[in-house]
Amino acid sequence: MKGRLVILTGAGISAESGIPTFRDPGGLWEKYDLSEVATPEGFRRNPRLVHEFYNARRRDLLRVKPNPAHYALADLERAWSGEFLLVTQNVDDLHERAGSRRVIHIHGELLKIRCEHCGGVFRETGEVFPETPCPGCGRPGGLRPHVVWFGEEPFHLPEVYEALSRCHLFVAIGTSGTVFPAAGFVEVARAAGARCVEINLKPAENAPLFHEHRYGPASQVVPAWVKEILKEG
Ligand code: OAD
């Protein structure tokens, strides 16, 4: 397996591990007001509410495990002899726990916090409150989740665009194709001449931009697709 492969994952790949998606029925944005818990303005208005939201997400994450889709992508990375990049919009660590190595979290990571006073980024598996002192500089009042909120610039975009603009195969898995810039990655890959594959429960908003579609639960469809790719050799 040669060539340059870029995989983009979204909430759908972690759904069967027990992490709710955002926009499906019963999803997070039905239960919570996005403008309150996922914007810098919401955090300024009510930091305690936002910390409580992410404390709960962190607790939930520590209770779940990777599913066969995460493991299949880790197997694929190990077998791939060309360039391989996994770009995820997910803030969970299930790809890493399944064994994936080259992972870019463009929307940040739930198990990290950042201090707005000193700029330090720290691993965090417990609870954080507005008065919690920074583990680096010791000052209270500066800690925030190390996640990207609406209105903020996603992380590592230059590296992602560089990989997309040179890739031969682009695969988007379990993402609704509604949140930019990730929803536009397929166009960059297409312009580079890449074959574009969508793996999803149902067609995403940007489905017509893909050359090939595989619909069904990620825990079944992703391992089956990986098996095919590995057989093609
Ligand atoms: P969404 O909740 O928008 O979409 C989830 C996608 O996963 C949909 O296309 C579903 O059809 C699909 N899906 C659900 N269950 C699945 C399963 N078992 N197998 C395969 N696919 C399944 O989630 P994202 O597209 O990841 O950003 O959302 C993008 C961003 O919007 C998130 O990173 C987050 C959110 O607001 C921020 O918080 C900045």
Side-chain angles (χ1 to χ4, degrees):
M1 279 116 334
K2 292 207 189 78
R4 292 187 280 266
L5 168 59
V6 178
I7 297 179
L8 170 70
T9 61
I13 196 164
S14 297
E16 290 162 85
S17 289
I19 300 181
T21 63
F22 298 95
R23 295 174 183 79
D24 292 303
L28 278 178
W29 297 153
E30 231 174 51
K31 293 201 185 110
Y32 297 90
D33 184 343
L34 184 159
S35 67
E36 280 182 3
V37 299
T39 62
E41 297 75 27
F43 185 59
R44 272 197 295 276
R45 273 196 305 270
N46 193 345
R48 189 165 300 278
L49 175 84
V50 176
H51 276 306
E52 276 165 6
F53 174 76
Y54 288 96
N55 288 342
R57 303 278 76 71
R58 230 175 269 128
R59 270 197 303 275
D60 291 346
L61 174 56
L62 296 174
R63 277 198 283 261
V64 304
K65 293 196 180 94
N67 69 57
H70 298 102
Y71 286 112
L73 294 186
D75 289 343
L76 180 59
E77 181 177 5
R78 275 190 292 271
W80 193 262
S81 56
E83 281 176 37
F84 181 101
L85 180 63
L86 175 52
V87 181
T88 187
Q89 297 166 90
N90 298 344
V91 294
D92 67 55
D93 64 341
L94 296 180
H95 285 305
E96 287 88 347
R97 277 199 254 160
S100 286
R101 281 180 302 231
R102 219 172 150 224
V103 187
I104 292 185
H105 286 267
I106 58 170
H107 289 166
E109 293 171 71
L110 197 48
L111 299 184
K112 287 185 180 167
I113 49 168
R114 183 164 84 238
C115 176
E116 287 181 324
H117 299 313
C118 70
V121 175
F122 309 93
R123 181 167 164 86
E124 177 61 67
T125 53
E127 296 194 315
V128 182
F129 301 98
E131 58 277 9
T132 307
C134 167
C137 70
R139 287 177 66 189
L143 293 178
R144 58 160 284 176
H146 190 50
V147 299
V148 173
W149 287 323
F150 286 89
E152 295 183 323
E153 169 93 350
F155 298 145
H156 310 297
L157 287 181
E159 201 183 329
V160 173
Y161 281 121
E162 207 269 327
L164 286 168
S165 66
R166 300 183 316 116
C167 74
H168 300 118
L169 179 60
F170 172 74
V171 188
I173 303 172
T175 175
S176 57
T178 49
V179 175
F180 284 83
F185 289 172
V186 59
E187 290 183 89
V188 182
R190 270 183 83 108
R195 175 155 193 82
C196 300
V197 181
E198 181 202 9
I199 298 181
N200 218 340
L201 203 53
K202 53 183 182 13
E205 290 281 316
N206 57 359
L209 296 170
F210 291 82
H211 302 104
E212 192 184 326
H213 309 268
R214 309 277 176 107
Y215 295 124
S219 69
Q220 294 170 27
V221 181
V222 175
W225 173 77
V226 167
K227 210 168 158 191
E228 255 177 61
I229 291 280
L230 294 182
K231 228 190 246 163
E232 279 171 20

